[in-house]
Amino acid sequence: MNETVAKNLHKITIIDEAIDNWWDQHLRGKPVLDRLFYTASESANNSLLWYVLGSTQAATRRNPRDAIELSLVLALEWILVNGGIKTLFMRSRPRHFNQHPYSLRQPITSSFPSSHASAAMVAASLISRKSRHPLLWYTLALTVAVSRIHTRVHHPSDVAAGISLGLVIGAIARRILR
């Protein structure tokens, strides 16, 4: 590994650990936040949350095309992130020192990037395009994304990368699907 790459990875690890320590001191172990973040994380497994919300929106608007487009873009995001990028990086997941207060499916794929975060931002990008309240969709997507930090399933940098990637994919999809 290149010395510059190694130094940068070390810096990222230090930042990840600092964020995780802060999260531990201020947010984890609070029953309301634990319930919120574990529920958000579990409900977004396999993008189920986004398929349900997108289908509901399409049904209420009587426009099945929106649900089909969302499904296609989420499938492409899954192939790119889970089938491509994660296999390139093979980053290990954070170590767990405490039991989870609620049930949580333990993923077996690489940690980098967070596909929950990328899918959430893709979904928010597409579902919000015909919504009167786009901020609500992005708030829900951000909640799902940071839930992966709260539950210690991802390093903070995994989530940041997933958010960024999802926003790019979502922007491209919105442009193509006008």
PDB file of all heavy atoms in Angstrom, residues 139-152:
ATOM      1  N   THR A 139     -34.846  14.177   5.453  1.00  0.00           N
ATOM      2  CA  THR A 139     -34.690  13.978   6.894  1.00  0.00           C
ATOM      3  C   THR A 139     -34.818  12.500   7.247  1.00  0.00           C
ATOM      4  O   THR A 139     -34.023  11.960   8.032  1.00  0.00           O
ATOM      5  CB  THR A 139     -35.727  14.817   7.674  1.00  0.00           C
ATOM      6  OG1 THR A 139     -35.533  16.196   7.353  1.00  0.00           O
ATOM      7  CG2 THR A 139     -35.599  14.611   9.167  1.00  0.00           C
ATOM      8  N   LEU A 140     -35.795  11.826   6.657  1.00  0.00           N
ATOM      9  CA  LEU A 140     -35.951  10.393   6.877  1.00  0.00           C
ATOM     10  C   LEU A 140     -34.723   9.635   6.354  1.00  0.00           C
ATOM     11  O   LEU A 140     -34.205   8.734   7.025  1.00  0.00           O
ATOM     12  CB  LEU A 140     -37.228   9.888   6.200  1.00  0.00           C
ATOM     13  CG  LEU A 140     -37.518   8.394   6.339  1.00  0.00           C
ATOM     14  CD1 LEU A 140     -37.609   7.982   7.811  1.00  0.00           C
ATOM     15  CD2 LEU A 140     -38.794   8.040   5.589  1.00  0.00           C
ATOM     16  N   ALA A 141     -34.249  10.021   5.188  1.00  0.00           N
ATOM     17  CA  ALA A 141     -33.066   9.371   4.613  1.00  0.00           C
ATOM     18  C   ALA A 141     -31.838   9.579   5.499  1.00  0.00           C
ATOM     19  O   ALA A 141     -31.062   8.639   5.728  1.00  0.00           O
ATOM     20  CB  ALA A 141     -32.800   9.911   3.208  1.00  0.00           C
ATOM     21  N   LEU A 142     -31.667  10.766   6.009  1.00  0.00           N
ATOM     22  CA  LEU A 142     -30.536  11.046   6.897  1.00  0.00           C
ATOM     23  C   LEU A 142     -30.663  10.256   8.199  1.00  0.00           C
ATOM     24  O   LEU A 142     -29.663   9.773   8.741  1.00  0.00           O
ATOM     25  CB  LEU A 142     -30.432  12.549   7.170  1.00  0.00           C
ATOM     26  CG  LEU A 142     -29.170  13.017   7.870  1.00  0.00           C
ATOM     27  CD1 LEU A 142     -27.923  12.642   7.076  1.00  0.00           C
ATOM     28  CD2 LEU A 142     -29.216  14.518   8.091  1.00  0.00           C
ATOM     29  N   THR A 143     -31.880  10.105   8.688  1.00  0.00           N
ATOM     30  CA  THR A 143     -32.106   9.306   9.897  1.00  0.00           C
ATOM     31  C   THR A 143     -31.668   7.864   9.670  1.00  0.00           C
ATOM     32  O   THR A 143     -30.982   7.268  10.498  1.00  0.00           O
ATOM     33  CB  THR A 143     -33.583   9.369  10.324  1.00  0.00           C
ATOM     34  OG1 THR A 143     -33.936  10.729  10.577  1.00  0.00           O
ATOM     35  CG2 THR A 143     -33.846   8.531  11.561  1.00  0.00           C
ATOM     36  N   VAL A 144     -32.054   7.300   8.526  1.00  0.00           N
ATOM     37  CA  VAL A 144     -31.633   5.935   8.196  1.00  0.00           C
ATOM     38  C   VAL A 144     -30.114   5.868   8.087  1.00  0.00           C
ATOM     39  O   VAL A 144     -29.479   4.958   8.620  1.00  0.00           O
ATOM     40  CB  VAL A 144     -32.303   5.442   6.898  1.00  0.00           C
ATOM     41  CG1 VAL A 144     -31.635   4.168   6.382  1.00  0.00           C
ATOM     42  CG2 VAL A 144     -33.796   5.219   7.118  1.00  0.00           C
ATOM     43  N   ALA A 145     -29.527   6.846   7.413  1.00  0.00           N
ATOM     44  CA  ALA A 145     -28.074   6.836   7.219  1.00  0.00           C
ATOM     45  C   ALA A 145     -27.330   6.874   8.554  1.00  0.00           C
ATOM     46  O   ALA A 145     -26.462   6.033   8.814  1.00  0.00           O
ATOM     47  CB  ALA A 145     -27.657   8.012   6.338  1.00  0.00           C
ATOM     48  N   VAL A 146     -27.676   7.813   9.418  1.00  0.00           N
ATOM     49  CA  VAL A 146     -26.940   7.920  10.689  1.00  0.00           C
ATOM     50  C   VAL A 146     -27.294   6.791  11.649  1.00  0.00           C
ATOM     51  O   VAL A 146     -26.531   6.503  12.577  1.00  0.00           O
ATOM     52  CB  VAL A 146     -27.093   9.300  11.374  1.00  0.00           C
ATOM     53  CG1 VAL A 146     -26.556  10.403  10.485  1.00  0.00           C
ATOM     54  CG2 VAL A 146     -28.504   9.568  11.803  1.00  0.00           C
ATOM     55  N   SER A 147     -28.410   6.105  11.398  1.00  0.00           N
ATOM     56  CA  SER A 147     -28.740   4.946  12.229  1.00  0.00           C
ATOM     57  C   SER A 147     -27.648   3.890  12.131  1.00  0.00           C
ATOM     58  O   SER A 147     -27.421   3.127  13.072  1.00  0.00           O
ATOM     59  CB  SER A 147     -30.092   4.344  11.822  1.00  0.00           C
ATOM     60  OG  SER A 147     -29.993   3.578  10.626  1.00  0.00           O
ATOM     61  N   ARG A 148     -26.957   3.862  11.017  1.00  0.00           N
ATOM     62  CA  ARG A 148     -25.902   2.869  10.826  1.00  0.00           C
ATOM     63  C   ARG A 148     -24.682   3.184  11.705  1.00  0.00           C
ATOM     64  O   ARG A 148     -23.942   2.283  12.083  1.00  0.00           O
ATOM     65  CB  ARG A 148     -25.510   2.773   9.359  1.00  0.00           C
ATOM     66  CG  ARG A 148     -26.687   2.473   8.440  1.00  0.00           C
ATOM     67  CD  ARG A 148     -27.447   1.238   8.833  1.00  0.00           C
ATOM     68  NE  ARG A 148     -26.826   0.064   8.256  1.00  0.00           N
ATOM     69  CZ  ARG A 148     -27.214  -1.170   8.457  1.00  0.00           C
ATOM     70  NH1 ARG A 148     -28.241  -1.429   9.240  1.00  0.00           N
ATOM     71  NH2 ARG A 148     -26.592  -2.188   7.905  1.00  0.00           N
ATOM     72  N   ILE A 149     -24.485   4.447  12.028  1.00  0.00           N
ATOM     73  CA  ILE A 149     -23.429   4.830  12.973  1.00  0.00           C
ATOM     74  C   ILE A 149     -23.897   4.489  14.389  1.00  0.00           C
ATOM     75  O   ILE A 149     -23.158   3.895  15.165  1.00  0.00           O
ATOM     76  CB  ILE A 149     -23.109   6.340  12.870  1.00  0.00           C
ATOM     77  CG1 ILE A 149     -22.552   6.691  11.494  1.00  0.00           C
ATOM     78  CG2 ILE A 149     -22.124   6.755  13.970  1.00  0.00           C
ATOM     79  CD1 ILE A 149     -22.474   8.182  11.217  1.00  0.00           C
ATOM     80  N   HIS A 150     -25.125   4.872  14.693  1.00  0.00           N
ATOM     81  CA  HIS A 150     -25.669   4.664  16.040  1.00  0.00           C
ATOM     82  C   HIS A 150     -25.643   3.182  16.428  1.00  0.00           C
ATOM     83  O   HIS A 150     -25.313   2.841  17.557  1.00  0.00           O
ATOM     84  CB  HIS A 150     -27.098   5.201  16.127  1.00  0.00           C
ATOM     85  CG  HIS A 150     -27.649   5.209  17.504  1.00  0.00           C
ATOM     86  ND1 HIS A 150     -27.445   6.248  18.383  1.00  0.00           N
ATOM     87  CD2 HIS A 150     -28.395   4.287  18.177  1.00  0.00           C
ATOM     88  CE1 HIS A 150     -28.037   5.983  19.530  1.00  0.00           C
ATOM     89  NE2 HIS A 150     -28.621   4.793  19.432  1.00  0.00           N
ATOM     90  N   THR A 151     -25.980   2.325  15.488  1.00  0.00           N
ATOM     91  CA  THR A 151     -26.038   0.886  15.756  1.00  0.00           C
ATOM     92  C   THR A 151     -24.677   0.200  15.613  1.00  0.00           C
ATOM     93  O   THR A 151     -24.577  -1.004  15.792  1.00  0.00           O
ATOM     94  CB  THR A 151     -27.046   0.209  14.811  1.00  0.00           C
ATOM     95  OG1 THR A 151     -26.638   0.434  13.456  1.00  0.00           O
ATOM     96  CG2 THR A 151     -28.449   0.729  15.038  1.00  0.00           C
ATOM     97  N   ARG A 152     -23.682   0.962  15.274  1.00  0.00           N
ATOM     98  CA  ARG A 152     -22.305   0.472  15.083  1.00  0.00           C
ATOM     99  C   ARG A 152     -22.197  -0.596  13.997  1.00  0.00           C
ATOM    100  O   ARG A 152     -21.384  -1.500  14.071  1.00  0.00           O
ATOM    101  CB  ARG A 152     -21.740  -0.068  16.381  1.00  0.00           C
ATOM    102  CG  ARG A 152     -21.228   0.981  17.302  1.00  0.00           C
ATOM    103  CD  ARG A 152     -20.311   0.350  18.351  1.00  0.00           C
ATOM    104  NE  ARG A 152     -19.692   1.380  19.140  1.00  0.00           N
ATOM    105  CZ  ARG A 152     -19.895   1.535  20.439  1.00  0.00           C
ATOM    106  NH1 ARG A 152     -20.698   0.727  21.091  1.00  0.00           N
ATOM    107  NH2 ARG A 152     -19.284   2.488  21.096  1.00  0.00           N
TER     108      ARG A 152
END
